[in-house]
Every structure is written in structure tokens, then in C-alpha cells.
Amino acid sequence: MASNFRIGGLASGMDIDSIVKELMAAARKPVDKLYQDKIFLEWKKDDYRSINNQLRILRDEVSRMRLQSSYLSRKVHVGDSSVVTASSSNNAAATSYTLSVTQLATVARNQSAKEIGKREDGTVVKIDPNKTIWDQRDELDPDKQINWMPDEKVTGEVKVSTTSKNQKLAHDTITKLISQDSENKIITVKDAEGEKIEYKVVDTLDKLEGDDDNKVYLDFETGMLTFSNPVAKDSTIIAEYEYNPKKFITSFTMYNESGEQVTKTYTVDAGNLSLNSLFNRMSADQNLGIAIFYDEGTDKVSISTNRTGKYNPNEGGKEILFNGDGFFSGVLKLDEDNETGGTNAKFELNGLSTERKSNEFTINGTTFTLLGAGETTVNVMQDGDAVFDTIKGFIEKYNELIDTINSKVTEQRYRDYPPLTEEQRKEMSESEIKLWEEKARSGTLRGDQFLVSSLDKMRFAWSSPVSGITSALNQMTAYGIETGSYFEGGKLYIKDEAKLKQAIAENPDEVLKFFTNSSDDYGEKGVAQRLFDVLTDSMARLTTQAGSDGSFSKYDQSILAERIRDIEKRIDSREDRLNRLEQRYWRQFIAMESAIQWANSQSAWLAQQFMY
Amino acid sequence: MINNLQQEKLSLLEQFHKLTTKQLGLLEQGEYDQLLELFEQKDLVIKKINDLDLKLGKEANCEEVLTKLKELQELNNLLELKLRNTKTELGVKLLEFQQGKQTENRYSRYTQTEGAFIDKKQ
């Protein structure tokens, strides 16, 4: 709203636009103050949440320190690692073992007794492991030992997708065409409107020529149909027939944990599978529990169990029985008598002779993995170094949090540097803004009562004795742990590492209780339990103050969020008022100028009236 | 003796008088928009008087008319004075705002004021 009027009388050279802008700038001051308050609260909220996140991280560490397993670390020493390797869980018994291994557990293995392609007369037929079994059934099974599945009968309906004389049934290897009329075999075609036409089946292609009868030739091997006239698209070919599914069932027998026989059967789709693809599938099938492959070099098949050990309860009994199966025994020439392996691991542990089906076993929390025959010792000991490192690492993380909180509650607050308004930012350089905001943002949590209280409680958790433990060991100083200098705000240090290590070695139970003791009584609680409670409580309080990271501003019900929303409402209200005020001032100024000019003009006219 | 045209002029001057009196009242109430409307009406009256003066010529002002003109002149001077005073009051308000800006300046270190009525240097 530019104006050309000058306001004289009070001062010269006044510009209404600038006057009103300055006027509004003055009136905006309360709004700017509210805006700055809001920004400061938002910073405070962010800082609270950041601290809360770090409390959560430390609490996760404290959770681990509450667990007994953190103080029961074990290490294992093996005399001869070519005989065995060993590892222990934290609950493993600290003890020594002598181990003497006489035999390892092995898988059961077998292979073809002869080349698969070799005939009785000595001739050798080349087997292609990538060609379907059906296509080379004569080469693989000249003696017809495979027990093929019987023909399947079906009434096939095939939808025609292209108008043509040449169509195909859903199957090949048709063995028999069935028709109501035993004299003439019929295939029916139903057109798109449902009209049916019967086609007489002829036995040669040339018989399709000639008279007007509807005829069709069927190639039984391929299932291909050649009609005497084209069959229209969307027609349906209906034929009843039997076909060879080209499948057979093969089986072998193994033993379960209880020593009972379990027969495993497998349906082989010979029309679609080659030897290689079949063996891949069989090896991948965990229910079968075998690994099998064909070796082109030797023209033999190798089969082995996936598991080690002897499951057949019979002395000298085999693990994989083929029972004269036509495929395994006949085609693949596998003979049970040739099986090797399938043995249990045999060893003596601390003088006790025993066996295992596997080379890996666990005793008293220690897992042994047998590698070879021989004798060795295995010592399971408390890993004092690991426990020491756990405690030391925890104290370091604790100190990090103490540092962070202390720095925030003692951070300088620069009240002469409130948050910048948008107007102020426009008139400052980037570097000036950066420097200003460093000071403006400082001290959001200075002297914060929640954080100071949390620090006090954490210090108390460490410093007050844990009852129920030997008095000589119920305080942190007994473990060489002390607070740092006063100005460090309660940081802890292991000032006597030897003391802590000695306590871990000689009084592991006391160390455990000092940190992990659980009780409803504060005095009896271990330090880690107390810290967990303090951190949980502190996190809840800060969440009440500032919400959590996942809170959207609209639904954040925290105290600071409510205060921020209140300020925003007040800002909106003031902004409305200022806008109205600005408009009123403009009207008044312009009206005044107009009025004065007008009055002057009319005065001049009055003066001129006296001239008549 | 006052003739008809002079009488008519006198009536118009009376009208002008009433309008000016009303303006003084509105000024008191701060009704500045209505104030301007009355200036417009006064301009219309002035136009009518000017038309009459053309007809009246040397007889435009008789004794009664002159008396009225003097009254109007005094009244108009009063109006002008009050207008200036009102403007002065508004100016004082501006100064007060300016002072208000200065007192709140302590929490806005950056915004330094230089006085409300000095032209901003571009």
C-alpha cells in the first residue's frame, strides 16, 4: 500500500510506508518473542529426546549386565587340535577332560558295482545323463527291470487356440483310443456354439483324402492330430484314451533313530527328468536324506547318507537297503554288499568308553567336534579376562552417558542470543547466522532437574553397598572401582585393575551378586538392577516431558509439545491482531492526509470568496 | 435587501456550516472515513455556490453573506487546527510505538532503532 503523502509538521521527509513498517515492526515485537520462545522449546524437546535415546542405549547395556551369563564366560584349551576342537557356553562346567578317539563317525557310501551302460555281453552303451530317462529307457533298462506305472485313462478336452488341421491331444504316448463304437474310433469336436462333429480316426495319413467324411489321423506316439479339414479356433477336441504316464516309483530303506526301518519312496517322472536332474532333486530332498550323483567318467552312480553314524541295529547291517528295486538295483547296479562307512564315533572321555552317531556332541555345556583319532586333553576354565573386559566396557559406556548429560546440564545459556526471526535472518550472512545459532542453541537443558536427578540416582546406585554379599566385597571400591574428580560429575574408573581381576578369579559369585542380585529391597539389589530401574524411570520422565522420537507433532501429548502448541495459538492470534492493526493505521494515515489537503483547499476557496 | 439568489447562496453557506460542524464532531469520535465523505459533500456545495456567484456577479456577497463567510472561515480554521492536532496525536502515538520498540529491544539485540520519523536510507 504505497502512498505518496508526506507527513509534515512533526518532522520533514517522512515516508508513510517506512513509518508504518517501523510501526508494525514495533507492534510485532511480542509476536517475535513468542516465536523465539517456541523455537527454544523445540530445541529443548529435541535435546531431551536425544538424551532419552542415549539412556535407552545404556539401558540395553545394563540389561546385559543384569544377566548371569555376562559373568560366566568360559574359555577352552585343547591339547591336540588335530583330534578335537571344543567350545563352551557361558554355563558350561569349568572342568578338565581327557579324550581318546578311536574312530570317527562316517557316512554310509555305496556306488554302482558295474558301469551302468555295460551289457552282459560286454558291450557298452553310452548313457547321456542329460537326456530324459524315458528317451533312453532302452539303453538304461534293456532287461525291463523298472516297474513302470500303469497307463492312465482320461477323457481329454483340448481347447483349440488356432484354426488349423493340425492339433494335439493333452498327452503323448497314447496307448489306446477308447470309443463307444469298438469298430470305428471317434474323436469329437465341439464348436464354439456347442455343435458336435464326430471325426472317424484313420490309421494312416493318406486315408484322410477322398470322400467327404470327417476324418482324423492320430499319431499315438506324439499325440498329434491331423484333421481332414481345419478345426476352428475356440472349438474343443474331446477324446477318451489311455496314455503312458512315463513314471515309475523307486524306493530304498534306511533306519531311524530307534533303529526301525523306514522305506523311502520316490516317484520318477521319467518323461521330464534326466539322470542328472533326477539326482539333483533327490539330493535336495531332505526327506530322503541321501546325496546321489552320476559320474560320466566311470559311468557309475555314487550314493551316500547325509548323516553319519550307524542306525542299522544289526551287526554288520547296511544303512541303505535297495531291496532289489528295479531302478536302484537293476538300472543303477547298486549292491548293498558294497556299502562302506556308516560308522559311529567311538571314543573314551575321562575313562568312559562311549559312542556317538555324530562327530559333534555336547557335554555339560561344552561342544566337542571330533576331527581324528588320537588322545588329548580339553580344559574348560572361567574366562576372567572376558568378565573383566565386560565390566570395563560397561563402565566406559556408562561414563559416556555421564559425560553427555553433564555437558548438557552445565552448558552455558546465552540469554542475549535468542533464536533468530526470519526478518533477522534475511539481514545476516550465513556465517553470522551459524555463529549466532551456536550460542542461541546452547544451554537448553542447563540445570535441568530431571537430568540432574537421574545423575544423582545413578551415582547412588553405584555407591551404596549391596547387602547380602560379604561386607568386604559389597561396595564398588572392593573391586577397584572409584569415582573420578569432582568436576567429572560422577564418572567411574577402575583404579585398581588387579583388584577387580582378583575378585573375578577368587570370588566370582560375589562379583555376580554385586551386579545382578535381584530383590524388591533396594539395598539388596545388584548395581545393574538398580541402574536398570533408574534408567527406565528417567526415560519415562523424559518421555512425559518431550515425547518420543516416533511421536508425530499432532499427536504428541508431551508437556513441551503442549506448550509449543499453546504458543503457536497465541502467535496466530497476535498475527491476526497485527494484521488488523496494520490496516487500521494505513486507513487513518491516508484519511488524515486527504482531510488536511481538502481542508486547505476549501479554506483557500473561502478566502477567495471575500474577493467578490 | 437580500435577493433570492443571495438567499440561496446564504442557504448553501449554512449547509456548508453544518457540514463543517459535523466534521468537527466526527473528528472527535475518530470517524475519519466519514470525515472524508463530508469533504466531498462540501465540494458539491462549493460548486453550487460558484454557479450562483457567476449569476450574482458583483452582488455575490451581501452583508449577511459576508457575515456567514466570516463564520465559516473561523469554523474552517478550527477544523484545520483540529486536523493538525489529530495528526499530531497520531504522530505522538507513533513515537510511543517507537519507544515501545526500544524498550523491548533488549531481547532483540539485532534490531536497532534509529527514530520513527527519519527517512529510511535505501
Side-chain angles (χ1 to χ4, degrees), chain A residues 13 22 29 585 598 600 603, chain B residues 43 76 80 97 101 104 119:
Chain A
E22 291 239 11
K29 276 307 156 190
Y585 283 141
W598 228 322
N600 285 338
S603 285
Chain B
D43 268 354
N76 214 57
E80 275 189 80
F97 268 111
K101 189 165 63 175
E104 290 178 358
D119 269 348

Side-chain angles (χ1 to χ4, degrees), chain A residues 372-421:
Chain A
E375 292 182 6
T376 185
T377 54
V378 177
N379 294 318
V380 181
M381 303 164 283
Q382 189 204 29
D383 191 350
D385 288 339
V387 177
F388 175 86
D389 288 342
T390 297
I391 294 172
K392 186 176 178 188
F394 170 67
I395 288 175
E396 283 168 3
K397 291 193 172 65
Y398 172 83
N399 285 342
E400 281 174 18
L401 179 69
I402 299 301
D403 261 344
T404 301
I405 296 178
N406 271 327
S407 67
K408 292 307 281 186
V409 299
T410 56
E411 200 173 48
Q412 185 68 33
R413 174 87 188 267
Y414 297 98
R415 294 183 186 274
D416 290 339
Y417 290 82
L420 292 168
T421 63

